[in-house]
Structures are given as structure tokens and as C-alpha cells.
Amino acid sequence: MKLTCINIFFLSLSIILPVKAEDAAFEQWKRDFAQLAVEQNISQEIVKEYVPYLKRLDRVIALDRKQPEFKLTFSSYIKRTITPDRILKGQTLYKKKKKLFNEIEQKYHVPSAYLIAFWGIETHYGNIKGNIDTLDALATLSYDNRRSTFFTQQLIALLKIIQKDRIIPPQGSWAGAFGHFQFMPTTYLHYAVDGDNDGRRDLVMSFPDAIASAANYLSQMGWNPRIRWGREVKGPLSESFYREDGEKTLKEWYEMGLRLKGKDSLTDFEKSITARLMMPSGKKGPAFLVYSNFDVIKRWNRSDYYALSVGILADYIAGIETLNITKLPEEESLYKDEIKKVQKKLTVDGYYSGSIDGLYGEQTKEALKQYQKNNNLVPDGYLSKELLEKILK
């Protein structure tokens, strides 16, 4: 009976609002989606209010298909993300909203500096939340074939949020993230909390809801309040360290001769912390020992550069000694087509079995390390122009 009512409603709209022939397929998709939404416990009232008026946005498809021609280097990414203005605003807001941040920190055990760092990187402290209608963006990507299942789930989740929390349909990114911390709808649905105790969760208009929800998410992901994200290593490193894979305790790293910057000795607790060595710019750049909280940050965004940026910005906001960004070495950017050529060659030579996608991910880095080891090179897994030319010659 429910589905019949929905179909009758759509039929009545089609008489009032004639449909262009080229949009007929999208209109049929909306009818099908309306039935799915009702089956997923979205009320007929919500379906009738929003689904018939969803729009297909060509701009969203164009942004989804757009791929950067080159890969940002670590130094360029960090300098673009952690600016003097972003640091200063974060420090100012840290002081201005200290009472709220302290309450959130006591409840969720996530240090305020990290929450402010996420806020600053995601939306420049709430000033850039996105200007694309989120319902239309998700409908467009759900209708599109490339990742239809994922975005259909997100659209269903957003309608459930609108229904449960009575929020105004938001604007956000082209990919459907919205609010102060750019939550996707499924993340919002599962981890959002009512921070201001008004009986609803609104991560767009209520900052207490937004900051509490970010803290709840990180807490649920396993944040350890006793440790930091990691620390920069005192350099330069000997070649032997580049051959070390996997995690060791800080005690073991120190016994091997490695030192954290500004810390020649460890407390008993620090000795037991497990860490792995990370060198985002290879042997010529900075090195870090990263802890379990680094991996929690990556549950938010899988990029190593992103996770490093959050940790470093949080250190700056909290006034903790951290990476000197002004002294980062300049690096040459690589075009994605160049990375694809390297992946193809490494595949032929038996080092790589992943996708030829031009992405400089973990599989590519591991393949490069094996190539470097077998060719008596420092195995830092870093694809420099020099190494690229050597592989492709």
C-alpha cells in the first residue's frame, strides 16, 4: 500500500511538472529510489517532501571524474595545509572556547588540540563547509554508475538524519560530506551526539554537537589519551634505519640508536609505546615515529599526509615542539602518468601487483623498497625523479 501511494504521488507530479526526455532516466531512478527509501523506514512524508525534487548536478559528475595531474609532495602538502593563519586561528579558538573544549576532553578523552586541528583542516574552523546541496549531490552520485551502492547508502542515511534530527537539508562538499567536520551521512548517523542537549543532533548549526561528535568518533575508533600521534625523529638517520619495517617499542628504537627530537631519554611508560618509522619525503626529508593514534587519525582520512598534518597542526596549537615547516626541503612533484609508468615497469619486473592507477600508495612504496634493496639503493620507498629515471631507463 505504501509503495502504491508513492507511485501515485510521482504520477501526479509528472502531470504537473512535465519531464524533459533527456531527464526521463533520472526521473525513473527517483521513483525506484523512493520505493527503496520507504522500505528502509523513511516516512512517506519525508520521501514526498524531498525525493521528487532531487536534481542531477552535472557539476558533481565533473568533480567526481576530475583527477589531479600530479601528486603533491609532502612539503607542498604540509605548507598548503598548515599555514601561519591556520595555526594562529586555531590557537585563538583554543583559548576562546576553552571551557567547552575542556568539557568535551573530560568526557571523551580526546585532547582539544587534535579536535581543533581536524576542524581547521576540514572547514577552516567552520568558515568553508561547502556550497553544494548535499541531497542533490548524493542523488547525482547514487544515480551515477561509478559508486552507486555507496552513495545510495549515504543518501538513505541523510534522509534518516533529516527525519530523526529534524535538520535543514545541508550544503556541503560535492561528495556529500557536510558540517563543521565534514562527516559523511553514515558516519553522522552512527557517531553524531547531542552536545548541547537540545534533543537533536545538528552538526551544521550546533558547534557543541559537532565538536562532541568528532570527539565521540575518535574515541570510538580507539583514541589513546595517554600518548600523542607520534614525534619527529632527530636526524639524519643512518642507512640501517631505512631497512627497518614494522613496529618496535620506543625502548627498542632507542637501543638501536634512534632518538626523538628534543628527547634524549624516555620514561618507563614511554619505553613501552609501540611505533613505526615513517619517512614521507624519503632519506632527504624529515622522519617520524608514529604511534597508534596516528592510525586512528587515518580512520578519518586514509592519507598519511593528512594524518601527519593533523598531528603537526595539533602540536602547534598546543604549543608543543614539532616539525619546523619553514625548513622542509623542496621536492619535485610527479605526474600521475609518470607514476603509472613506474607501476607498469615494477609489475613487469615482479615487484608490484596492484592497480596501475598513478596513486603513490602503500603497495607502490613497498614495491619501490624491494626494488631499492635489490639494486643496492637506500630502501626508503620514496619515488624521486632520480629513481624514476633509473627504473624506466
Side-chain angles (χ1 to χ4, degrees), residues 359-373:
L359 301 178
Y360 185 47
E362 291 302 318
Q363 278 188 287
T364 302
K365 291 176 187 176
E366 287 304 314
L368 288 168
K369 281 186 179 181
Q370 290 304 314
Y371 174 89
Q372 290 168 320
K373 287 178 182 179

Side-chain angles (χ1 to χ4, degrees), residues 104 108 110 114-116 118-119 122 180-183 187 191-193 203 207-221 223 296 300:
I104 297 296
Y108 295 100
V110 178
Y114 290 95
L115 298 172
I116 299 169
F118 276 108
W119 186 28
E122 289 292 344
H180 283 273
F181 290 87
Q182 295 293 281
F183 274 24
T187 303
Y191 298 101
V193 295
L203 307 196
F207 181 68
D209 285 5
I211 193 75
S213 298
N216 182 54
Y217 177 82
L218 292 169
S219 177
Q220 294 293 327
M221 290 300 105
W223 189 271
V296 173
W300 189 299

Side-chain angles (χ1 to χ4, degrees), residues 6-167:
I6 291 294
N7 284 329
I8 292 172
F9 181 71
F10 268 91
L11 181 60
S12 66
L13 276 182
S14 67
I15 296 171
I16 300 170
L17 303 171
V19 178
K20 295 180 181 179
E22 61 266 28
D23 293 329
F26 185 61
E27 292 301 315
Q28 182 58 53
W29 172 85
K30 286 197 286 188
R31 293 186 182 90
D32 295 339
F33 176 79
Q35 294 187 7
L36 174 65
V38 172
E39 292 169 4
Q40 294 292 318
N41 299 317
I42 308 296
S43 71
Q44 289 191 52
E45 290 71 25
I46 292 292
V47 171
K48 289 178 181 179
E49 185 172 356
Y50 296 109
V51 176
Y53 308 102
L54 293 172
K55 300 181 185 69
R56 181 170 54 83
L57 303 179
D58 291 337
R59 177 188 174 194
V60 167
I61 295 298
L63 289 168
D64 181 58
R65 298 294 190 268
K66 184 179 180 181
Q67 296 292 334
E69 293 184 3
F70 61 88
K71 175 191 175 296
L72 283 175
T73 63
F74 174 68
S75 60
S76 59
Y77 184 97
I78 288 290
K79 289 175 183 178
R80 176 183 293 188
T81 305
I82 307 178
T83 62
D85 177 64
R86 187 166 276 162
I87 292 169
L88 180 60
K89 284 186 178 178
Q91 291 171 336
T92 301
L93 287 164
Y94 194 13
K95 296 174 183 176
K96 184 177 180 180
K97 297 179 179 291
K98 193 168 186 178
K99 182 176 183 295
L100 173 62
F101 288 138
N102 285 345
E103 291 172 356
I104 297 296
E105 187 170 330
Q106 289 173 12
K107 183 172 183 178
Y108 295 100
H109 310 294
V110 178
S112 302
Y114 290 95
L115 298 172
I116 299 169
F118 276 108
W119 186 28
I121 291 173
E122 289 292 344
T123 62
H124 202 71
Y125 308 111
N127 290 305
I128 306 173
K129 297 177 189 169
N131 59 3
I132 298 176
D133 185 280
T134 306
L135 281 169
D136 289 341
L138 291 174
T140 300
L141 294 167
S142 177
Y143 170 71
D144 185 53
N145 288 328
R146 198 174 78 82
R147 297 180 65 194
S148 177
T149 300
F150 172 78
F151 286 108
T152 298
Q153 292 171 344
Q154 299 302 323
L155 184 53
I156 289 289
L158 181 53
L159 289 173
K160 287 183 177 180
I161 293 164
I162 292 170
Q163 177 172 279
K164 179 179 180 180
D165 293 300
R166 307 181 304 284
I167 68 167

Side-chain angles (χ1 to χ4, degrees), residues 160-379:
K160 287 183 177 180
I161 293 164
I162 292 170
Q163 177 172 279
K164 179 179 180 180
D165 293 300
R166 307 181 304 284
I167 68 167
I168 298 170
Q171 291 187 329
S173 76
W174 66 264
F178 63 96
H180 283 273
F181 290 87
Q182 295 293 281
F183 274 24
M184 290 298 287
T186 51
T187 303
Y188 189 128
L189 199 61
H190 293 122
Y191 298 101
V193 295
D194 178 13
D196 56 14
N197 299 311
D198 69 348
R200 51 199 289 271
R201 306 170 302 171
D202 187 345
L203 307 196
V204 180
M205 302 305 294
S206 169
F207 181 68
D209 285 5
I211 193 75
S213 298
N216 182 54
Y217 177 82
L218 292 169
S219 177
Q220 294 293 327
M221 290 300 105
W223 189 271
N224 183 346
R226 300 187 66 193
I227 62 176
R228 290 166 58 174
W229 65 273
R231 291 187 66 163
E232 186 181 359
V233 169
K234 186 186 297 185
L237 301 182
S238 66
E239 183 177 328
S240 62
F241 285 111
Y242 294 97
R243 299 182 180 276
E244 294 295 331
D245 295 319
E247 293 187 338
K248 300 182 189 334
T249 64
L250 290 186
K251 180 176 182 291
E252 291 171 322
W253 285 115
Y254 267 58
E255 288 173 346
M256 293 172 61
L258 185 148
R259 293 291 182 272
L260 294 172
K261 195 172 182 179
K263 197 166 187 62
D264 292 326
S265 61
L266 299 169
T267 66
D268 287 341
F269 172 72
E270 289 171 334
K271 290 176 182 178
S272 66
I273 296 172
T274 58
R276 67 179 183 276
L277 190 62
M278 176 168 289
M279 299 154 287
S281 302
K283 62 184 178 182
K284 295 182 180 180
F288 306 90
L289 281 175
V290 297
Y291 311 156
S292 61
N293 283 339
F294 182 84
D295 295 317
V296 173
I297 296 172
K298 289 187 67 175
R299 298 290 294 273
W300 189 299
N301 184 310
R302 291 181 292 177
S303 164
D304 284 341
Y305 288 3
Y306 179 92
L308 287 166
S309 294
V310 169
I312 294 165
L313 180 56
D315 287 346
Y316 271 106
I317 290 169
I320 297 172
E321 182 180 4
T322 191
L323 177 71
N324 188 336
I325 296 172
T326 62
K327 292 186 177 181
L328 285 174
E330 293 299 323
E331 305 173 67
E332 290 185 272
S333 295
L334 293 175
Y335 285 88
K336 292 187 71 173
D337 285 344
E338 292 178 311
I339 299 174
K340 285 182 180 180
K341 289 177 182 178
V342 168
Q343 290 173 328
K344 288 178 182 177
K345 186 63 166 61
L346 292 174
T347 299
V348 171
D349 293 344
Y351 293 104
Y352 182 68
S353 59
S355 300
I356 310 300
D357 53 14
L359 301 178
Y360 185 47
E362 291 302 318
Q363 278 188 287
T364 302
K365 291 176 187 176
E366 287 304 314
L368 288 168
K369 281 186 179 181
Q370 290 304 314
Y371 174 89
Q372 290 168 320
K373 287 178 182 179
N374 290 350
N375 288 273
N376 297 315
L377 302 171
V378 176

